[in-house]
Amino acid sequence: MSDLLQKLNKGKCIGGGVLSLIHSKIIDTAGSARKLHAIYLRLMEGASRPFFGLMRSWLGHGLVDDALKDFMVKQMAFKSVEEEVAPAYLCWHDRFLLVPARTPSFLEPVAKSILDIGRYLHMLCACGATFERISVPEQLHTYTMEVSDYVVPLEELTHKYGALLLDFLIKHRSLKQHLKSLKLFYFFDRADFIELFIEFTADDLARPASDLPNTKVIDLFKLALIESSTNKESFSEFLRIIPYEVSNNRSFLLNKSLNFKSLLSNNLTPTILDVFSYEYQVKWPIKLVLDDSVILPNFGLISRHLFVCKY
């Protein structure tokens, strides 16, 4: 017991770190020193009670109510979800983080599941979803030596809350319709809007790229969308022509135009055709699935290639 106290003082352990040390003593004394083993189990029962209370709050409500900073998950300082302007992957991954020093060793194999369940819950609440909460299973209320006892209930919660969030995005945020729009606009499922745009802007596409944003080109792009067969079954209002700014977009444009590099090296002026591209601006919470900083720019490369082929 004195050895345990020395390690606690030396390591300045808090929260889950304390539980890790007690857990190691429980494992060491299992099957040999029965009385000492029982003492460590009683010690763990009392010491882990606040921690598992925090975990029930996280797994049941998606909240980190941890004033003493004992819990294995910490919440970063962000604005409200609706006001969040950071990329979606940062909003999802960096809003809540695991703290290794406060993660009990017996929960390390399931730490990712614990983190994800709370994330799902938090996002559901932040999006204003109405759903029936699932009671945290009894196995997750107390300490057990066998990590396998935690695996099944955590997997069930992960699956159920993940399915709830996806169902909410599909039914209440039109996820399927957004995916259909991406197919139309980025993969030219029906390319009549591009053909109309090329027809409307035959002369304007030869103008210098610095003319973008060009009011006439933008208006003709919108007109092509309105006149096309895709207008009534897509979110065309989410499309926006990307302005041409060499200082900010040079590397972006080098990827989008096969001849852009040679144009610059030969001191030739790029045209609107050389740099024309558009983006699909998704909003929260659809950006959780369609990340506008990672996924959609790659789709843009495909649409740019198809546009040049069409032209």
Side-chain angles (χ1 to χ4, degrees), residues 200-260:
F200 293 161
T201 58
D203 297 328
D204 297 282
L205 291 179
R207 295 174 63 84
S210 55
D211 280 3
L212 278 178
N214 180 293
T215 304
K216 181 181 178 182
V217 172
I218 292 174
D219 289 342
L220 290 175
F221 183 70
K222 293 178 180 178
L223 179 62
L225 288 170
I226 293 172
E227 294 294 325
S228 72
S229 62
T230 64
N231 183 47
K232 293 183 179 180
E233 52 184 292
S234 65
F235 290 112
S236 58
E237 66 271 19
F238 287 87
L239 281 184
R240 181 183 78 97
I241 292 180
I242 299 175
Y244 169 71
E245 298 173 2
V246 173
S247 59
N248 296 326
N249 294 348
R250 181 181 294 266
S251 60
F252 174 73
L253 292 169
L254 284 174
N255 288 326
K256 285 187 170 291
S257 181
L258 295 177
N259 65 338
F260 188 75

Side-chain angles (χ1 to χ4, degrees), residues 138-149:
E138 290 293 329
Q139 302 97 304
L140 303 177
H141 288 205
T142 56
Y143 165 79
T144 176
M145 290 175 59
E146 300 297 332
V147 68
S148 57
D149 293 340

Side-chain angles (χ1 to χ4, degrees), residues 30 73 76 101 176 197 240 283 289 309:
V73 176
M76 304 303 290
K176 284 187 176 180
F197 175 69
R240 181 183 78 97
K283 297 181 179 180
V289 179
C309 292

Side-chain angles (χ1 to χ4, degrees), residues 93-128:
H93 289 288
D94 289 0
R95 184 176 295 276
F96 297 100
L97 300 175
L98 285 173
V99 184
R102 302 196 317 237
T103 302
S105 56
F106 55 89
L107 290 179
E108 286 177 356
V110 293
K112 181 63 166 56
S113 295
I114 293 172
L115 178 64
D116 285 344
I117 292 167
R119 280 173 170 171
Y120 286 136
L121 263 170
H122 183 82
M123 293 303 170
L124 281 165
C125 295
C127 295

Side-chain angles (χ1 to χ4, degrees), residues 75-176:
Q75 181 173 358
M76 304 303 290
F78 276 88
K79 296 179 181 179
S80 67
V81 174
E82 291 77 13
E83 296 172 347
E84 181 57 54
V85 295
Y89 71 92
L90 289 179
C91 189
W92 173 260
H93 289 288
D94 289 0
R95 184 176 295 276
F96 297 100
L97 300 175
L98 285 173
V99 184
R102 302 196 317 237
T103 302
S105 56
F106 55 89
L107 290 179
E108 286 177 356
V110 293
K112 181 63 166 56
S113 295
I114 293 172
L115 178 64
D116 285 344
I117 292 167
R119 280 173 170 171
Y120 286 136
L121 263 170
H122 183 82
M123 293 303 170
L124 281 165
C125 295
C127 295
T130 301
F131 61 98
E132 184 178 349
R133 296 183 187 274
I134 304 164
S135 298
V136 179
E138 290 293 329
Q139 302 97 304
L140 303 177
H141 288 205
T142 56
Y143 165 79
T144 176
M145 290 175 59
E146 300 297 332
V147 68
S148 57
D149 293 340
Y150 297 121
V151 172
V152 173
L154 286 172
E155 285 181 347
E156 290 178 353
L157 286 177
T158 302
H159 174 74
K160 288 178 180 178
Y161 281 126
L164 280 173
L165 181 57
L166 180 60
D167 186 65
F168 172 79
L169 294 176
I170 291 174
K171 292 182 178 179
H172 301 284
R173 292 296 184 269
S174 306
L175 177 59
K176 284 187 176 180

